[in-house]
Amino acid sequence: MPVKNIVIGQKVSAAKAARARELRQNMTPAEKILWQALRANRLGGIHFRRQQVIGGFIVDFYCHTASLVIELDGGIHLQQAESDRQREQALTERGFHVIRFQNEQVFNDLDGVLAQIRAACGEQV
C-alpha cells in the first residue's frame, strides 16, 4: 500500500530517516499528549504525521493537506532560539505554515492548543 500524505519528491538520508524513527519511539511527554489528540484523524478528520522529515528538518507534527507544521518547544528551545527562527524561516520559504507551542501550553490548555491547530488547518485547507 503506498504511503500517503507525506512530503514527496525529497531525498531523505538513511540517517535522517532513522533519527525520525527514533524520535517517534521516544517522544517527549508533551508530544505524547498532543499526538493522542491528533492521531488517527481525531481532530476533525484531519490527518497528521509525527516526526516528519521536511527539507532536511524533522518537524514534530505535520498536516499535509494544510501544509501545516506544528512545533513544540521545551526548555532547550530557550537556548536555540536563533536556530529555531532560521529553521522556521526555511520552512516558511518552502510554503509551510509553522505554529509553535510551549510544552506548558499542551500540559495546561490542550483544548486551546487544539482549537488553534484546527483554526490553522481551516485557514490553510
Side-chain angles (χ1 to χ4, degrees):
M1 181 158 113
V3 178
K4 298 190 287 188
N5 297 329
I6 60 170
V7 180
I8 56 176
Q10 66 176 341
K11 294 182 181 177
V12 177
S13 69
K16 189 67 73 168
R19 178 67 178 141
R21 195 169 27 259
E22 177 185 326
L23 290 170
R24 282 191 295 276
Q25 294 169 352
N26 298 300
M27 292 188 298
T28 68
E31 288 172 342
K32 287 178 184 178
I33 290 169
L34 185 56
W35 180 238
Q36 286 306 310
L38 297 177
R39 67 189 300 262
N41 303 340
R42 291 180 181 164
L43 186 67
I46 304 166
H47 181 77
F48 288 89
R49 295 182 57 83
R50 60 190 167 133
Q51 305 304 333
Q52 173 69 50
V53 178
I54 300 176
F57 301 109
I58 301 174
V59 303
D60 292 334
F61 300 96
Y62 171 64
C63 175
H64 177 73
T65 55
S67 295
L68 177 67
V69 170
I70 302 167
E71 294 282 37
L72 298 184
D73 294 341
I76 188 70
H77 291 274
L78 296 173
Q79 301 167 14
Q80 61 185 42
E82 180 58 25
S83 65
D84 283 348
R85 189 194 64 71
Q86 291 173 357
R87 169 188 167 107
E88 187 169 332
Q89 181 179 351
L91 290 166
T92 301
E93 288 172 356
R94 288 181 171 93
F96 298 98
H97 177 68
V98 180
I99 56 175
R100 304 186 85 85
F101 297 101
Q102 297 295 316
N103 286 347
E104 290 75 25
Q105 289 176 274
V106 174
F107 297 139
N108 300 323
D109 185 21
L110 181 60
D111 289 339
V113 168
L114 295 174
Q116 290 180 56
I117 294 169
R118 193 177 297 112
C121 287
E123 292 169 5
Q124 303 301 316
V125 176

